[in-house]
Amino acid sequence: MSVRTLRIDGRDVASGEGTTVLEAARDAGVAIPTLCHLEGLSPVAACRLCLVEIEGSNKLQPACITPVSEGMVVHTATPRLREIRRTVIELLFTEGNHVCAVCVANGHCELQDRAVDVGMDHARLPYRFPDRPVDLSHQRFGLDHNRCILCSRCVRVCDEVEGAHVWDMAWRGEHCRIIAGLDQPWGAVDACTDCGKCVMVCPTGALFHKGDSVAEKHEDPSRLAALLQARRARQEAP
Amino acid sequence: MTRTILIDPVTRIEGHAKISIHLDASGAVSTAHFHVGEFRGFEAFCVGRPFSEMAAITARICGICPVSHLLAAAKTGDQLLAVSIPPAAERLRRLMNLAQIIQSHALSFFHLSSPDFLLGWDSDPAQRNVFGLIAADPELARGGIRLRQFGQAVIERLGGRKIHPAWAVPGGVRSSMQPDDRDWIRSRLSEAVATTQGALELFKRLLDGPLAAEAGDFGDFPSLFLALVGPDDRWEHYGGQLRLIDSTGAPVGRDLPSDGLSPEQLDNLLAEAVEPWTYLKFPYHKPLGPEAGSYRVGPLARLNVCERIGHERADRELLELRQRGGRVVTSSFHYHLARLIEILAALEAIEALLDDPALSDTHVRAHAGVNAREAVGVSEAPRGTLFHHYRVDSGGLIEAVNLIIATGQNNRAMNRTITQIARQHIQAGPAEAGPGDQLPEIAEGLLNRVEAGIRCFDPCLSCSTHAAGQMPLHVQLIGPEGEVLRERWRD
Ligand code: SF4
Ligand code: SF4
Ligand code: FES
């Protein structure tokens, strides 16, 4: 594997070919906030939180899918990027209905954590208060569309890891939402194996264990990477 | 010509409200109204939400007694799951409710009401608050503050947070009790009992002396009383039977179970009247109608409904209360004494619970899906009986909610109480006083008495606690055309 040398926030970094800017930055100890990205799943660059500036290009690039290249000069924390990240988080909060005080994920929510990271103390945009349903048709799990940020982690984990492909994205724009099966109640979809991986990787309180009350969701999405590593190790064992 | 005196906002109660005193043509008091101008249409927030969130939602909306809503919501949830909760969970919920009763009653008695008793009705309003109390009787004030802290600390230790501990859940509670919490609670009990007994002795002396008149004319009228009652007719705050008595002590209708009270039973028992001048509804006993069926709830109702408390020291005090006011005590002023007796009862009940080995069991939660589509949960909040009634779909999403809160159930009694006090203390003024004419000056102490009539019931009206300091008092005298004849601010 050939090595690429680049600069991230003034630090010289050497990374292997095919590495993403996000991975290279993390290896170099530079933190870039992410939401849709999850180690173990294919990257989709859905949330745009990880945007970075690359010298020589006017376009901002999502660090999670941009491969490193030789001589690249990357900035991850310019005032412009900070403003954009805060706006991205504000958009997520204002376009759904996030009532943290009664949310299962309160205190263990990646959206909340990122809001803290980007210094969002209030929303400068008006709240939309959309009318969105909650699906409790599954025997064990619930889906609250009010808290879904359309990161598609659930879609990817179900398809790529569990192989069941229960979830998809449907509709466009403000009507965009995740659907189970062919837009059926989750509980009516036979393909679901009840494995709970989607609940585990969901960064918010959108997917949860039924019956859990406020602040009871303590899932750790990073367990997915460990799970996949263990699976690979077994497959590779002689 | 009729004139209206407005007291707005009522100070030293939890929340915002105002009182209007309506004078007839002769200048005498015709009636007094307690207005609640706040409408928190929370039913709308709840519809479409999972019922497992109801505890957190209702605790947030009615923030004065979050524990009470938490327990009523959890009990309604138990019924929707159709489970019996583990014995340890019931004991832990009881422990939390007892702590809530202690902290809430301590706030009402020591912080909000005792300045009137100890500093006098006509004392300087700037001093007539908890700070004035600290200056006048530091030991009592400190004891009261520590008593309230004790109740709050127990709640915090069990629930992990002082306010809104979303700890009671459908099927039980979230965590069992730690041995060091048990030891800590035990270590604080004797001081709490001593403070309560000291306050009781002091207050009874005042009742025999300077407060004797108030004990008579503060809302003394016959009414029904509604409360939970335990096995062997003992004092109850969490389960047992729901009992209604009249002012002779005779039961009205049959006892109803608090666990598994059916929506039909609740519907046959209570109806709610509305009045155009307040958002607070007036629940009443349906078979007897809005007037004869009006009833009181809360500390005095619980003590009237039970035969005995079941704990030695509190039972002695109950006996004395009955010597003072009869087997069924009808003077609303005795809500204060009842509160102190209940603090003592709660402390003794906690002592007994701590000796119960079942309290420490670690199995504290039963899990189940939705097994019933409609349920009612009942518990005793510090201020009185609290009903939660939910209907859910097959997955557990809320379709309809109704809450019957204690303050509403005492609404009729609060209005009767302030009318009685106003009639007693406001003398007829000049009959035809026009703008600019000489109107009777309304003494500060008199307004304070009318407010104090409301404070007997310790109403909770919004989500904020105004325990410290004094809120501004706005008094208006309004003429027949709605013009302000006289205005007075106190701040
Ligand atoms: S998912 Fe829940 S905790 Fe996270 S931001 Fe939304 S409401 Fe708050
Ligand atoms: S349900 Fe959760 S994991 Fe799925 S798209 Fe929404 S926020 Fe992402
Ligand atoms: S983390 Fe890169 S776009 Fe979401």
Side-chain angles (χ1 to χ4, degrees):
Chain A
M1 183 175 66
S2 53
V3 169
R4 301 278 180 274
T5 55
L6 65 158
R7 260 182 162 243
I8 303 179
D9 290 349
R11 289 179 216 196
D12 290 321
V13 179
S15 286
E17 183 189 1
T19 313
T20 63
V21 172
L22 180 68
E23 288 161 334
R26 284 187 177 167
D27 286 345
V30 174
I32 299 174
T34 57
L35 259 177
C36 66
H37 176 83
L38 185 67
E39 203 185 324
L41 299 179
S42 61
V44 289
C47 73
R48 319 306 278 185
L49 194 62
C50 67
L51 290 176
V52 293
E53 287 175 14
I54 294 169
E55 278 184 17
S57 161
N58 248 340
K59 262 175 74 187
L60 301 172
Q61 304 289 345
C64 65
I65 48 159
T66 305
V68 295
S69 62
E70 186 59 40
M72 216 179 209
V73 181
V74 182
H75 301 281
T76 77
T78 62
R80 174 171 166 227
L81 288 172
R82 281 204 198 112
E83 174 59 27
I84 285 172
R85 283 191 195 127
R86 181 175 163 164
T87 307
V88 164
I89 296 292
E90 284 180 33
L91 282 164
L92 289 174
F93 270 98
T94 50
E95 69 102 23
N97 292 308
H98 292 271
V99 186
C100 301
V102 299
C103 179
V104 284
N106 194 1
H108 284 87
C109 172
E110 291 183 45
L111 181 58
Q112 269 185 341
D113 293 346
R114 294 299 81 79
V116 172
D117 292 347
V118 302
M120 174 191 154
D121 46 7
H122 71 284
R124 296 164 296 184
L125 303 156
Y127 283 86
R128 285 183 61 243
F129 301 115
D131 192 6
R132 293 186 186 169
V134 180
D135 181 350
L136 290 187
S137 61
H138 193 281
Q139 217 195 332
R140 293 175 53 203
F141 311 119
L143 164 60
D144 186 345
H145 289 281
N146 293 286
R147 302 170 183 149
C148 174
I149 58 170
L150 299 170
C151 69
S152 84
R153 282 190 192 175
C154 55
V155 178
R156 286 172 284 153
V157 79
C158 186
D159 176 44
E160 297 168 12
V161 180
E162 183 63 9
H165 199 125
V166 169
W167 300 109
D168 272 297
M169 293 276 178
W171 316 105
R172 287 291 173 270
E174 64 170 333
H175 304 293
C176 186
R177 62 185 163 80
I178 62 161
I179 55 168
L182 294 169
D183 200 1
Q184 291 154 283
W186 189 359
V189 179
D190 290 339
C192 176
T193 63
D194 306 344
C195 76
K197 288 191 183 68
C198 55
V199 178
M200 180 176 89
V201 299
C202 177
T204 70
L207 291 168
F208 56 91
H209 290 265
K210 254 167 100 169
D212 275 3
S213 64
V214 55
E216 278 201 288
K217 185 180 178 190
H218 288 191
E219 293 284 359
D220 177 4
S222 71
R223 279 170 57 206
L224 182 70
L227 189 82
L228 293 176
Q229 170 124 43
R231 188 180 283 181
R232 262 194 309 276
R234 276 189 64 178
Q235 280 162 353
E236 284 159 15
Chain B
M1 167 194 137
T2 42
R3 294 198 307 269
T4 306
I5 300 166
L6 278 179
I7 305 179
D8 179 16
V10 176
T11 60
R12 279 179 292 143
I13 61 168
E14 309 230 34
H16 298 277
K18 74 181 183 200
I19 294 168
S20 65
I21 302 163
H22 303 264
L23 307 180
D24 63 18
S26 72
V29 173
S30 63
T31 183
H33 283 162
F34 175 56
H35 306 257
V36 177
E38 199 165 338
F39 183 62
R40 311 178 68 84
F42 61 85
E43 275 92 349
F45 304 132
C46 304
V47 170
R49 302 304 311 166
F51 76 93
S52 48
E53 277 179 15
M54 284 303 290
I57 295 176
T58 54
R60 289 276 161 183
I61 288 163
C62 301
I64 300 295
C65 41
V67 172
S68 310
H69 285 287
L70 199 60
L71 292 178
K75 290 187 83 178
T76 315
D78 300 343
Q79 300 295 325
L80 291 174
L81 303 179
V83 295
S84 301
I85 69 168
E90 188 197 319
R91 284 161 179 78
L92 287 163
R93 285 185 187 177
R94 280 181 176 274
L95 183 57
M96 186 174 266
N97 205 29
L98 291 165
Q100 162 79 352
I101 287 171
I102 293 168
Q103 77 89 11
S104 173
H105 284 359
L107 178 71
S108 167
F109 184 83
F110 293 93
H111 299 58
L112 305 179
S113 286
S114 71
D116 291 332
F117 311 148
L118 288 154
L119 307 174
W121 303 103
D122 306 296
S123 61
D124 177 5
Q127 282 296 309
R128 204 172 51 215
N129 54 37
V130 74
F131 300 112
L133 183 70
I134 291 168
D137 191 338
E139 204 185 320
L140 182 82
R142 207 174 305 126
I145 290 167
R146 278 179 62 84
L147 190 58
R148 172 155 194 245
Q149 281 169 348
F150 169 71
Q152 287 174 317
V154 174
I155 293 169
E156 204 167 346
R157 278 170 179 264
L158 292 175
R161 278 167 88 183
K162 190 156 39 187
I163 314 284
H164 308 308
W167 165 80
V169 287
V173 298
R174 264 149 76 151
S175 53
S176 58
M177 176 137 134
Q178 303 303 312
D180 58 326
D181 290 336
R182 196 184 189 122
D183 297 342
W184 182 87
I185 297 170
R186 210 191 293 275
S187 73
R188 290 287 298 266
L189 276 174
S190 60
E191 180 199 323
V193 169
T195 301
T196 312
Q197 284 181 319
L200 271 162
E201 290 315 314
L202 175 79
F203 190 58
K204 285 187 289 184
R205 274 203 307 280
L206 293 172
L207 283 176
D208 293 334
L211 294 178
E214 278 75 16
D217 69 15
F218 264 53
D220 191 1
F221 46 80
S223 77
L224 308 179
F225 290 93
L226 177 77
L228 292 178
V229 62
D232 305 326
D233 301 325
R234 281 200 305 268
W235 177 74
E236 179 60 76
H237 60 97
Y238 172 82
Q241 304 280 313
L242 194 61
R243 182 176 298 170
L244 193 66
I245 59 165
D246 64 19
S247 45
T248 70
V252 178
R254 276 184 305 118
D255 286 0
L256 295 168
S258 72
D259 281 333
L261 181 73
S262 73
E264 295 73 36
Q265 284 171 316
L266 179 61
D267 190 52
N268 292 334
L269 182 69
L270 303 179
E272 292 180 290
V274 289
E275 297 283 359
W277 41 267
T278 179
Y279 277 118
L280 199 57
K281 290 181 194 167
F282 294 83
Y284 59 90
H285 181 238
K286 208 174 190 175
L288 289 176
E291 281 304 320
S294 94
Y295 60 94
R296 282 178 267 183
V297 296
L300 193 61
R302 287 189 289 262
L303 295 189
N304 279 338
V305 165
C306 72
E307 279 305 323
R308 70 191 68 78
I309 287 177
H311 300 289
E312 200 188 323
R313 285 166 285 195
D315 266 323
R316 275 205 299 275
E317 298 294 339
L318 181 63
L319 203 64
E320 260 196 63
L321 172 74
R322 289 179 178 170
Q323 282 162 0
R324 225 172 254 284
R327 167 60 187 82
V328 175
V329 181
T330 52
S331 163
S332 301
F333 197 71
H334 284 315
Y335 266 91
H336 294 298
L337 185 53
R339 249 172 232 123
L340 287 176
I341 298 173
E342 280 205 323
I343 296 178
L344 194 58
L347 290 166
E348 288 184 288
I350 288 178
E351 199 170 17
L353 265 178
L354 292 182
D355 291 333
D356 185 342
L359 184 68
S360 313
D361 201 280
T362 50
H363 178 40
V364 292
R365 189 169 182 175
H367 292 274
V370 174
N371 291 305
R373 300 283 291 271
E374 194 169 352
V376 175
V378 190
S379 78
E380 286 286 340
R383 294 166 176 83
T385 319
L386 173 63
F387 298 88
H388 279 205
H389 176 189
Y390 312 154
R391 204 177 66 229
V392 298
D393 73 5
S394 58
L397 292 179
I398 294 279
E399 289 177 343
V401 180
N402 190 28
L403 312 187
I404 303 178
I405 59 161
T407 299
Q409 296 169 86
N410 281 332
N411 203 1
R412 188 75 65 194
M414 287 192 286
N415 280 283
R416 288 177 75 166
T417 299
I418 57 169
T419 302
Q420 211 173 65
I421 295 169
R423 285 195 184 136
Q424 196 84 16
H425 291 274
I426 296 182
Q427 304 308 319
E432 285 300 327
D437 285 1
Q438 292 303 308
L439 288 164
E441 196 50 66
I442 298 148
E444 221 290 321
L446 185 144
L447 297 179
N448 189 35
R449 280 185 178 81
V450 176
E451 287 181 71
I454 294 293
R455 283 201 292 271
C456 290
F457 297 91
D458 189 23
C460 60
L461 297 168
S462 83
C463 295
S464 49
T465 304
H466 300 283
Q470 188 102 8
M471 287 195 292
L473 179 68
H474 185 194
V475 187
Q476 279 189 324
L477 205 59
I478 296 171
E481 313 299 330
E483 76 274 27
V484 178
L485 299 177
R486 209 171 248 284
E487 209 162 8
R488 179 168 169 174
W489 295 88
R490 178 179 79 194
D491 38 33

